[in-house]
């Protein structure tokens, strides 16, 4: 605990109120306003959050890939494709590969890594959702999301503050997108899945869901919160899909 804030708060309170109660109130205010009080530390910088996000993203990908005993060629390929989709430069690719290898190494402490990420991100829930989305994308593009892998990812999501329903909606959205890219029937069901809502939703709630999803995935907002610049393209593509899905539903419903 830092006593400087308490001391100066008490001194100011005493001088202004000219009694002991002014000193007490000043001391309390000094304690509350002192960033080092009670062992609290200043919020991490955006650069710190960005670095933690990048490292943990690829370490956990390696950890999940190795969770069934061995890392398959499909899982390695999925990780490399993701690096390509994120438009990572050569240096970032090498760093990502090193993190992936660390994550699949024996003795890797995934729980500690997730806890560090959670602490670094703090109340940046949209950033934590982006992290889970990346993990789901990598797992689905690898060998699919098997029950053991889903259990691991769901546990990670819950530790980061996401509900089971949010996790299920995110997975449904990614599966719908995967089906569409494979040439299967693109329809309104995929649009609803992209917005993470049911087809029975009212027009008013649909608009709210659309605005919520756009806010969650806005590239500038995520980067400002600590998303690595190299991953901003992912967010831009996501907002474009959200826009297209909403327009598709809006037209089908005859909404103005």
């Amino acid at each position: 605990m830092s006593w400087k804030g308490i001391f100066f708060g008490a001194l100011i309170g005493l001088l202004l109120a000219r009694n002991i109660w002014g000193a007490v109130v000043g001391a309390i205010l000094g304690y509350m306003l002192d960033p080092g009080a009670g062992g609290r530390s200043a919020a991490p910088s955006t650069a710190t959050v960005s670095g933690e996000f990048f490292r943990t993203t690829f370490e956990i990908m390696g950890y999940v890939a190795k969770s069934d005993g061995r890392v398959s060629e499909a899982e390695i390929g999925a990780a490399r494709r993701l690096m390509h989709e994120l438009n990572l430069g050569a240096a970032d690719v090498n760093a990502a590969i090193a993190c992936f290898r660390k994550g699949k190494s024996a003795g890797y402490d995934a729980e500690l890594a997730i806890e560090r990420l959670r602490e670094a991100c703090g109340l940046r829930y949209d950033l934590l959702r982006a992290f889970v989305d990346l993990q789901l994308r990598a797992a689905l593009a690898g060998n699919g999301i098997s029950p053991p892998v889903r259990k691991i990812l769901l546990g990670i999501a819950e530790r980061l503050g996401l509900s089971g329903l949010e996790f299920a909606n995110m997975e449904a959205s990614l599966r719908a997108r995967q089906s569409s890219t494979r040439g299967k029937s693109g329809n309104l069901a995929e649009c609803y899945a992209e917005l993470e809502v049911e087809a029975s939703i009212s027009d008013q709630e649909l608009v709210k869901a659309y605005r919520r999803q756009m806010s969650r995935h806005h590239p500038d907002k995520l980067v400002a919160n600590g998303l690595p610049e190299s991953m901003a393209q992912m967010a831009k593509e996501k907002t474009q899909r959200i826009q297209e899905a909403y327009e598709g539903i809006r037209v089908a419903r005859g909404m103005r």
Side-chain angles (χ1 to χ4, degrees):
M1 178 187 300
S2 170
W3 291 97
K4 289 184 179 179
I6 299 174
F7 172 77
F8 286 111
L11 180 59
I12 292 172
L14 183 61
L15 291 174
L16 292 177
R18 297 182 182 280
N19 59 47
I20 190 62
W21 293 112
V24 171
V25 172
I28 293 173
L29 290 175
Y31 175 82
M32 293 175 64
L33 295 176
D34 184 357
R40 295 192 302 272
S41 57
S45 67
T46 300
T48 298
V49 175
S50 179
E52 195 69 47
F53 188 98
F54 184 94
R55 286 191 299 274
T56 311
T57 291
F58 292 103
E59 286 177 7
I60 293 298
M61 282 183 192
Y63 172 77
V64 172
K66 188 65 180 297
S67 63
D68 61 355
R70 62 180 296 272
V71 180
S72 67
E73 290 298 325
E75 289 168 321
I76 294 175
R80 287 188 175 277
R81 284 195 301 275
L82 185 57
M83 295 174 197
H84 176 73
E85 291 171 11
L86 293 173
N87 294 318
L88 298 186
D92 283 338
V93 167
N94 290 334
I97 291 173
C99 291
F100 187 88
R101 288 173 177 166
K102 179 179 178 180
K104 69 185 183 68
S105 64
Y108 176 73
D109 193 338
E111 291 188 4
L112 178 59
I114 292 299
E115 183 59 24
R116 285 176 176 170
L117 177 67
R118 188 190 65 77
E119 290 182 356
C121 291
L123 298 178
R124 300 174 174 95
Y125 294 119
D126 294 340
L127 194 58
L128 295 174
R129 280 180 58 90
F131 175 84
V132 175
D133 183 83
L134 280 168
Q135 299 305 322
L136 279 167
R137 284 179 61 180
L140 191 60
N143 290 334
I145 304 176
S146 64
V149 167
R150 181 179 290 105
K151 183 178 180 181
I152 291 173
L153 293 180
L154 179 57
I156 289 173
E158 289 177 342
R159 288 196 64 182
L160 295 179
L162 278 70
S163 68
L165 179 59
E166 286 180 290
F167 181 86
N169 286 337
M170 292 173 71
E171 181 181 349
S173 174
L174 287 168
R175 288 189 180 279
R177 189 191 316 166
Q178 186 183 62
S179 297
S180 179
T181 56
R182 288 177 176 174
K184 297 183 180 179
S185 58
N187 50 39
L188 282 176
E190 294 176 3
C191 293
Y192 285 111
E194 188 66 57
L195 294 181
E196 299 182 19
V197 296
E198 299 292 335
S200 58
I201 194 173
S202 68
D203 290 355
Q204 184 179 14
E205 290 300 317
L206 177 68
V207 174
K208 290 181 180 179
Y210 162 68
R211 290 174 178 170
R212 182 170 60 248
Q213 290 288 15
M214 290 296 286
S215 175
R216 282 175 173 172
H217 300 281
H218 195 285
D220 294 339
K221 178 182 177 182
L222 289 173
V223 170
N225 280 338
L227 182 75
E229 288 279 358
S230 57
M231 298 182 180
Q233 183 61 32
M234 171 197 70
K236 292 178 182 178
E237 293 173 358
K238 176 67 174 179
T239 54
Q240 182 178 350
R241 289 193 299 271
I242 292 170
Q243 179 73 48
E244 292 173 351
Y246 174 69
E247 289 300 323
I249 297 172
R250 191 179 64 81
V251 171
R253 290 190 174 200
M255 296 169 59
R256 292 185 177 181

